[in-house]
Amino acid sequence: MVRDSRVKTGELLTVRQVLDELGGISRRTFYRWRELRIAPACIRLPNGELRVRRDVLNDWLEERAEGAAS
């Protein structure tokens, strides 16, 4: 059971999945955020594709929640 939760938090999301999770923002917006260094941290695979770990995306979203404790 511990293994299942680890797999879920360590899940690697494609850019398309991240865009969908963020309410369908455009790919251009996501890459602009990367240029500005405000996007969630990405992993570049050897084939050049980007992935975002599920837990990194969740933390990134939590940091941006209005009224979040600092």
Side-chain angles (χ1 to χ4, degrees):
M1 191 150 183
V2 171
R3 185 176 181 274
D4 292 341
S5 65
R6 186 174 49 200
V7 168
K8 185 158 183 119
T9 59
E11 177 185 13
L12 293 178
L13 303 172
T14 64
V15 171
R16 171 55 46 203
Q17 289 172 310
V18 172
L19 300 179
D20 291 344
E21 291 265 339
L22 297 176
I25 66 163
S26 72
R27 184 174 292 270
R28 181 176 181 177
T29 295
F30 180 78
Y31 280 98
R32 179 69 177 144
W33 289 353
R34 281 185 44 82
E35 288 175 14
L36 296 171
R37 301 189 180 275
I38 58 174
C42 296
I43 298 168
R44 185 169 301 278
L45 300 177
N47 65 2
E49 292 183 8
L50 295 176
R51 296 292 185 270
V52 177
R53 285 189 8 226
R54 164 69 66 189
D55 55 337
V56 169
L57 178 62
N58 290 343
D59 291 346
W60 182 84
L61 288 170
E62 191 65 32
E63 291 169 4
R64 279 145 188 82
E66 289 191 13
S70 312

